[in-house]
Amino acid sequence: MVIGPEEPQFAGVADKAAELGIPTFGGVPRSLAMIEQSKAFARALMWKYRIPGRIAFRAFRDINEALHYISSAGSVAIKPARQSGGKGVRVFWDRLAYLRDGVNEAKVSQVLAVSRDMAAYDDIDARIVVEEAVTGVEYTVQVISDGKSIIALPPIQDNPHVFDYDVGPECGGMGAIVGPGSSLPFLTQEEYEESVEITRKSLDALQRETGLRYVGVLGGQFMLTTYGPTLIEYYSRFGDPEVLNALAMLNDDLLEIMEATVDGRLSSIKYSFKRSAVAISKAVAPMGYPHNRDLARGRSITIDIDRIRKLGCEVYFGSVIEEDGLYKTLGSRAVEVLAVGNTYRETYEKIENCIAHIKSPDWQLIHRRDIGSRELIERRVKEAERVRAVYKWRRSHGLGRVRIDWVPGGEITVYDYT
């Protein structure tokens, strides 16, 4: 059995499958899935086992304690402590004194919003996580684990903002890129290997903490920051749309890899990835997604699948149903389109031509035209070069090893990054 989404993991479906003797991939027991379910748990685990890529954080159950802390905390990211479908994360930069009152008001508003959202959940202790704010280029590293060995999939860059140029609300992901081969244009091989090692150490720590074998996928959402590769959060499953791109690069049988993972013989599997290809995936969604899903629901979509396939792309259905030969939206990302090619220019033109054959007679559809474009890739490369220069200089001079965190009336916390 293969368990894909996170909520069945959080509910203990994999635990029940184990009781029944059903071999299961991707549905790790709830105590292991906690690395995704609770951001506070994941952060605490990294600090306990001194795993690189960690950042300073505070977790709160009491809303008043969180409000007191953020009033003097400076630049922070405020998140729901529980995984909630990628919603609710906001970063606040407190760098200009004349804007401080306005920024603090926005922080308070975010804490209250997160508290309201978390009221629906009672399966973790902490409610709100406040982290130090970091900036840089995001990417994802996913590994398949049988509890002893791992297969590291190629690094993927997801694009979570709804609109072009990284504006608009964050959502489940509007598309991703990978390539050439097992690389990204802005990421060095050394940075990729460091990210894989962070993920492997997190797996080892999680298994030591729980005494259980991790069978499935651990995906790390990373950011290349002035610390170097930095862990933002973990997923105890394949990420979407990242998995489309990663598996498009795989030359071998995924089912064989899954079976070997469940049997604990992953180290015996031979596998390879396409060496020079690139892949671009893009989501098509109805206008209104992600914050006004009622507005985005019930819209008609026509998809010329035959034409799209002739042009060299594949369509993967998401939040749609079929009624009388028409597809109707359910309020989220309707479909995803995948293209594979030899260069980004070729692949970009291919996927844009294919998306032109997905239409709605009664509503506006949206997708990110800039994903995979030369302009966006060049911007990512420049941003990576900037933060790379900083973190390499800091490392060479032994800087950034200690952070002291204190707000008036609160305790002093020392974060040792060594």
Side-chain angles (χ1 to χ4, degrees):
M1 180 170 67
V2 177
I3 301 176
E6 66 272 25
E7 288 299 333
Q9 292 183 358
F10 302 164
V13 171
D15 302 73
K16 192 64 178 180
E19 288 179 18
L20 298 173
I22 301 172
T24 304
F25 174 92
V28 297
R30 183 177 182 272
S31 54
L32 290 171
M34 190 62 69
I35 198 168
E36 174 177 2
Q37 186 177 9
S38 171
K39 296 178 176 68
F41 174 86
R43 286 287 180 221
L45 184 79
M46 294 186 75
W47 280 99
K48 179 178 179 178
Y49 290 91
R50 306 190 67 78
I51 298 169
R54 61 193 186 273
I55 56 177
F57 83 105
R58 294 282 189 98
F60 301 93
R61 183 171 184 84
D62 187 290
I63 186 173
N64 292 318
E65 290 180 5
L67 291 171
H68 174 72
Y69 177 76
I70 63 164
S71 65
S72 303
S75 298
V76 293
I78 302 173
K79 305 178 176 182
R82 187 192 191 277
Q83 171 60 251
S84 53
K87 305 181 188 70
V89 180
R90 296 290 184 272
V91 180
F92 299 91
W93 295 101
D94 189 1
R95 292 170 171 165
L96 301 173
Y98 71 93
L99 292 178
R100 187 155 297 151
D101 289 345
V103 171
N104 279 338
E105 288 179 10
K107 289 180 187 177
V108 170
S109 177
Q110 174 64 6
V111 167
L112 295 175
V114 169
S115 180
R116 287 193 298 270
D117 290 343
M118 288 296 295
Y121 303 104
D122 59 2
D123 50 4
I124 63 171
D125 291 331
R127 318 300 288 170
I128 300 164
V129 168
V130 182
E131 299 175 349
E132 62 176 302
V134 291
T135 185
V137 185
E138 292 191 44
Y139 58 97
T140 300
V141 171
Q142 301 172 101
V143 304
I144 299 173
S145 168
D146 67 354
K148 298 173 292 183
S149 304
I150 65 170
I151 291 178
L153 302 181
I156 311 295
Q157 185 180 52
D158 180 25
N159 294 266
H161 291 276
V162 171
F163 302 121
D164 287 0
Y165 308 109
D166 300 326
V167 300
E170 290 192 12
C171 64
M174 292 300 288
I177 65 170
V178 61
S182 296
S183 67
L184 284 168
F186 57 82
L187 197 68
T188 68
Q189 183 65 23
E190 181 183 20
E191 289 159 352
Y192 168 60
E193 291 174 359
E194 185 175 334
S195 305
V196 172
E197 183 64 8
I198 290 169
T199 308
R200 186 192 64 77
K201 287 183 175 180
S202 298
L203 270 172
D204 291 344
L206 182 60
Q207 292 183 132
R208 286 175 60 188
E209 191 75 6
T210 62
L212 298 172
R213 183 167 74 102
Y214 195 105
V215 180
V217 180
L218 183 63
Q221 182 187 346
F222 285 86
M223 181 181 286
L224 189 66
T225 74
T226 53
Y227 289 118
T230 302
L231 191 281
I232 302 302
E233 60 186 11
Y234 275 124
Y235 302 104
S236 55
R237 56 187 165 87
F238 280 127
D240 176 41
E242 296 98 324
V243 64
L244 284 183
N245 296 65
L247 296 184
M249 308 300 282
L250 181 65
N251 290 320
D252 303 278
D253 187 345
L254 177 62
L255 181 58
E256 183 180 350
I257 292 174
M258 287 181 171
E259 290 176 344
T261 301
V262 173
D263 294 340
R265 51 183 179 83
L266 197 57
S267 61
S268 67
I269 289 292
K270 294 181 179 180
Y271 64 94
S272 64
F273 299 99
K274 296 179 175 62
R275 289 191 172 185
S276 58
V278 303
I280 301 174
S281 63
K282 298 195 181 191
V284 179
M287 180 65 78
Y289 173 77
H291 285 338
N292 195 340
R293 301 196 183 203
D294 288 339
L295 189 65
R297 186 176 291 114
R299 308 299 179 177
S300 300
I301 289 185
T302 61
I303 305 171
D304 191 339
I305 295 178
D306 291 338
R307 182 60 180 162
I308 289 173
R309 286 178 175 165
K310 286 180 182 178
L311 290 171
C313 296
E314 289 293 334
V315 177
Y316 297 86
F317 289 88
S319 182
V320 293
I321 57 172
E322 187 175 3
E323 292 182 354
D324 301 324
L326 282 177
Y327 297 105
K328 294 285 188 178
T329 64
L330 297 175
S332 187
R333 293 167 294 173
V335 297
E336 290 175 1
V337 182
L338 174 71
V340 180
N342 296 312
T343 66
Y344 273 108
R345 180 176 179 177
E346 169 199 330
T347 311
Y348 176 82
E349 292 176 354
K350 182 188 296 186
I351 197 167
E352 284 296 318
N353 287 337
C354 289
I355 290 175
H357 295 279
I358 301 174
K359 303 176 181 179
S360 174
D362 59 6
W363 198 244
Q364 182 178 350
L365 301 179
I366 56 174
H367 79 280
R368 290 259 320 245
R369 295 182 181 275
D370 62 336
I371 296 173
S373 68
R374 184 181 68 178
E375 179 185 8
L376 187 58
I377 289 173
E378 288 178 350
R379 187 152 63 92
R380 302 285 193 235
V381 169
K382 289 180 180 178
E383 189 174 7
E385 289 173 347
R386 176 180 59 80
V387 296
R388 183 176 297 119
V390 176
Y391 88 71
K392 285 187 173 292
W393 185 86
R394 292 175 68 175
R395 288 182 177 183
S396 67
H397 288 74
L399 300 177
R401 294 180 177 179
V402 174
R403 172 189 171 107
I404 297 176
D405 188 20
W406 175 77
V407 296
E411 64 181 14
I412 298 175
T413 305
V414 178
Y415 295 94
D416 183 353
Y417 293 87
T418 57

